[in-house]
Amino acid sequence: MASRALLDVRGVETYYGNIRALNGVNVAVNEGEIVALIGANGAGKSTLMMTIFGAPRARTGTITFGGNDITSLPTHEIARLRIAQSPEGRRIFPRMTVLENLQMGASLDNLKHFDEDAEKVFQLFPRLKERLSQRGGTLSGGEQQMLSIARALMARPKLLLLDEPSLGLAPLIVKQIFDAIRELNEKQGLTVFLVEQNAFGALKLATRGYVMVNGNVTMSGTGKELLANPEVRAAYLEGGRH
Amino acid sequence: MAEAVSTERVAANTNYATAIREALFAGAISFGLFVLLVGLKTDQNIRNELILVQRWGVLAILVLLTMAGRFAYVAYLQPTLAARAAARAKAPAVAVEPSALRKNWTKLAVLGLFLYPVVIVALVGLQGSLKWVDNFGIQILIYVMLAWGLNIVVGLAGLLDLGYVAFYAVGAYSYALLASEFGWSFWILLPAAGMMAAFWGVILGFPVLRLRGDYLAIVTLAFGEIIRLVIINWREVTNGSAGISGIPKVTFFGIFNFDVSSPHYIGKVLGIATSGAYYKIFLYYLILLLAMLTAFVTIRLRRMPVGRAWEALREDEIACRSLGINTTTTKLTAFATGAMFGGFAGSFFAARQGFVSPESFVFLESAIILAIVVLGGMGSLAGIAVAAVVMIGGTEILREMQFLKAVFGDGFTPELYRMLLFGLAMVIVMVWKPRGFVGSREPTAFLHERKAVSASFTKEGHG
């Protein structure tokens, strides 16, 4: 099972100075899955996401992607193995236009497939096509999130990492974004690893899920199992459905 | 009706009352500021004793000018501006088709620059043209080129470099030393000096790769000083603070030269009268071409992957890395490219002056170049060119303002006030155009048509 995993995180510990943020985390993402990682603020979800990308680096443990050990690769070389990320806070380029942002996403292949891929992205997020010559910083929050995902998709990733795509967005927009993720997964077979605080939405979307508490993965299971689990319900869901 | 008139009159009256009050305030503040700076002056008398010279007249002029300015601003300018803003808010937004003049602005400007020496010679004659071509033309164009070079590092890649003058110095000394030692031609040494400066750009780049913002600024500042101190202290090679003189002039590709005693002097070859103006005019076209090369390369690079990576790096370094961009090489190429143009300008400077010394490469030069980049609007070539014309041309014009001596007395040397000009320009631009003279960034990719979005729409980062 583990050997077939596209992304395999084993026994990873990450430190910020002397403070341990990840406590020996084991997570696997198989090809074609949507895997959700849920947890409270400060549980280490985003740290895991960034550790996969090599910044900060894992002090112990190994991370493999498609059979390659990427634990100590520099960030840009990890990206070249076709892992794309829509980072926390979206991090689009605010003074560059939507078109230029997308071009930056496609810079790995030097824009070879740009037109074709852009068309696909516009089908997913028609709003971006309308905003093409507008600057990234002038987009609404939801549009910026769409742009962030679209930019990641332009690199033709094998694995898409999404860090809190629903952060600070209106419920309607969240639904649009989650629908888009599902469509990507079902139609294009894209593997997605998703970090979310919106546990309900994320688990409904996910094939499998992990629950993280204080730098440890405490529970895992299929999305449905976790949604039905009383502990998960008590800790993350009863506060109100998002 | 009568009521409306009376309220209007009351409004005008209170307006004047506020204006007078504000003017008095401004007068008091300027009096407090200038009473020691201008009103009293320490001087030496014939027996070398320190005496106080009182200059109440000058002080009074300054205070009155401040008061008058403040009064005019509050009483007349402010209401006019407010009315205009209100009118603009009311009027529907209409897309204005840019006029032909505006569309071909760049072409016209370049044409004007090419015709400039011809016009000057026609107007004031060969000998009279010296000052205008040299002090205004060449001097400004050197700074335009330097600022465009620094713009690659600061404006495009967003790496704040306070030691840019170091590369200017490397270029100047490369030419000065190699040309006077081995007698090599300018046309060989120009690329060599550029490469040397680019090499030092990379050397500076490596240790500062991990730094950003203020930390980067401090290290680059130190780098600039280190280069200058090495030049001062490495006497065996650089002749220390005495500098290097007798640097060979540029020749016209070896066909003829500008050395009066040489058999290939331009006057003898072409059979025209001897004049120093030929060399200046030749240098003018040379620096014009070099500056245009800088602009051309910058414009081309911005549309290429490396230029786009520079701009993305300025916006968000982490996002860049996660898109597979090697930020190390991206930063190093920015430093190297910027430094290379600094080196070109440096070798031109050495050839033009015929003399280089560490005096020419002090921190103030870096600060001036950076100020031009910031005032022009980081990243905008046209804005930077305008800023260079205003700042450097303004400095030169101050030299011409000898008539001010009639107002401020014989001891008044207008060119000493150039820093005041810089400060004033900074304040004015930053108040009215906080993103610089041309604040909008021209997009580099288009699907169908060009559409620039005004800077006022681009508050960063928020949705």
Side-chain angles (χ1 to χ4, degrees), chain A residues 4-7 29-33 158 189-191:
Chain A
R4 280 190 291 114
L6 182 63
L7 176 76
V29 180
N30 299 315
E31 216 158 331
E33 280 185 325
K158 292 181 191 150
L190 182 68
T191 313

Side-chain angles (χ1 to χ4, degrees), chain A residues 3 5 7 18 21 42-43 45 73-74 108 132 161 166 168 172:
Chain A
S3 62
L7 176 76
N18 285 325
K45 306 183 303 287
L73 280 186
L108 271 188
L132 213 50
L161 304 182
S166 74
L172 198 66

Side-chain angles (χ1 to χ4, degrees), chain A residues 7-231:
Chain A
L7 176 76
D8 197 4
V9 178
R10 282 202 193 174
V12 162
E13 291 185 4
T14 303
Y15 288 75
Y16 290 117
N18 285 325
I19 300 159
R20 184 156 62 183
L22 294 182
N23 238 332
V25 170
N26 295 302
V27 165
V29 180
N30 299 315
E31 216 158 331
E33 280 185 325
I34 299 181
V35 175
L37 178 69
I38 61 170
N41 272 337
K45 306 183 303 287
S46 290
T47 304
L48 176 61
M49 207 57 128
M50 284 152 69
T51 306
I52 292 171
F53 248 104
R57 222 163 266 302
R59 199 173 281 185
T60 53
T62 56
I63 304 170
T64 54
F65 176 71
N68 302 313
D69 186 352
I70 60 168
T71 324
S72 55
L73 280 186
T75 303
H76 65 269
E77 289 193 16
I78 296 174
R80 282 176 194 180
L81 295 171
R82 310 285 161 174
I83 306 182
Q85 186 187 30
S86 158
E88 188 176 14
R90 315 191 261 260
R91 288 190 176 274
I92 53 151
F93 302 117
R95 287 184 72 193
M96 298 170 91
T97 63
V98 170
L99 183 63
E100 286 170 312
N101 266 280
L102 293 177
Q103 287 187 341
M104 288 310 300
S107 54
L108 271 188
D109 289 323
N110 212 356
L111 307 183
K112 228 180 281 165
H113 320 288
F114 184 78
D115 293 336
E116 186 189 332
D117 290 5
E119 227 19 77
K120 272 192 212 163
V121 161
F122 294 146
Q123 273 170 21
L124 201 62
F125 301 119
R127 193 85 71 84
L128 290 182
K129 193 165 188 180
E130 296 161 25
R131 301 266 186 262
L132 213 50
S133 57
Q134 203 173 317
R135 273 151 222 262
T138 65
L139 299 179
S140 75
E143 288 163 350
Q144 288 191 6
Q145 185 60 58
M146 292 173 194
L147 178 57
S148 177
I149 295 175
R151 186 180 66 182
L153 289 173
M154 294 305 289
R156 298 202 156 180
K158 292 181 191 150
L159 171 65
L160 177 64
L161 304 182
L162 298 173
D163 199 341
E164 304 247 13
S166 74
L167 191 72
L169 301 184
L172 198 66
I173 310 282
V174 173
K175 187 175 172 299
Q176 267 181 34
I177 295 217
F178 280 177
D179 286 347
I181 297 170
R182 179 175 293 125
E183 194 184 319
L184 280 171
N185 177 260
E186 282 171 2
K187 288 200 182 148
Q188 299 175 28
L190 182 68
T191 313
V192 178
F193 183 39
L194 173 79
V195 162
E196 259 301 337
Q197 282 201 52
N198 179 351
F200 182 74
L203 289 176
K204 247 176 63 178
L205 181 70
T207 332
R208 291 188 305 116
Y210 292 91
V211 179
M212 199 168 204
V213 179
N214 288 334
N216 292 299
V217 170
T218 55
M219 257 183 276
S220 65
T222 65
K224 274 183 196 145
E225 278 168 16
L226 287 177
L227 269 178
N229 184 308
E231 272 179 69

